[in-house]
Amino acid sequence: MTNNNPNVQKIIEFNKNKTTRKEEVVNKVITDLIKGKEKINFNTVAEKSGVSKSFLYKNKTLKERIDFLRNQQNGLSSPKKVKNNTSDKSKDVIIESLRQKVKKLEEENKDLKKQLQSKLSDLYLKI
């Protein structure tokens, strides 16, 4: 008993409503990201809105909006980029302090090995 004329109108209507709800959620997330001055890209929008990246790429209006906002933000410096712009002199200072710390730890390790060897030899002599 197969239906030769299936009525799929309800399914199509349901899917259109579902897509509309998802679009509303995505638009709200984008607005929140703009207000929070956060980075806007497909990954963050998809993650925060709970939709797949493919949904964003397939939806032409959302794709164009995200592309536009992402390109608009390209000129802005992100906190990660600002942090990475340390001078060569400060990097040299950090490297030198790390070298001194490594040297100190190597000396401490050498002393501890000597102490251990001494204790083990004393223990061996007692046996």
Side-chain angles (χ1 to χ4, degrees), residues 84-124:
N84 289 335
N85 290 338
T86 55
S87 70
D88 287 339
K89 186 172 183 174
S90 64
K91 287 179 184 179
D92 291 341
V93 169
I94 292 170
I95 290 171
E96 186 58 35
S97 69
L98 289 173
R99 283 184 179 152
Q100 289 175 358
K101 188 173 184 179
V102 167
K103 186 175 180 181
K104 180 183 171 191
L105 289 171
E106 286 175 342
E107 289 173 4
E108 183 180 348
N109 190 12
K110 188 177 178 182
D111 290 341
L112 288 172
K113 283 182 181 180
K114 284 182 182 178
Q115 288 177 9
L116 179 63
Q117 187 178 12
S118 168
K119 297 291 182 183
L120 286 175
S121 66
D122 289 346
L123 182 66
Y124 181 74

Side-chain angles (χ1 to χ4, degrees), residues 8-52:
V8 294
Q9 209 54 28
K10 295 267 185 191
I11 295 172
I12 293 171
E13 184 180 327
F14 175 78
N15 283 336
K16 285 182 182 178
N17 289 337
K18 187 177 173 184
T19 300
T20 304
R21 287 192 307 269
K22 284 183 180 182
E23 287 173 348
E24 289 171 358
V25 169
V26 169
N27 284 322
K28 184 182 181 324
V29 166
I30 290 173
T31 304
D32 292 344
L33 288 172
I34 292 170
K35 286 180 182 175
K37 296 181 181 176
E38 295 181 52
K39 200 78 168 160
I40 296 173
N41 56 41
F42 288 96
N43 287 332
T44 56
V45 173
E47 183 180 311
K48 292 191 185 247
S49 63
V51 299
S52 66

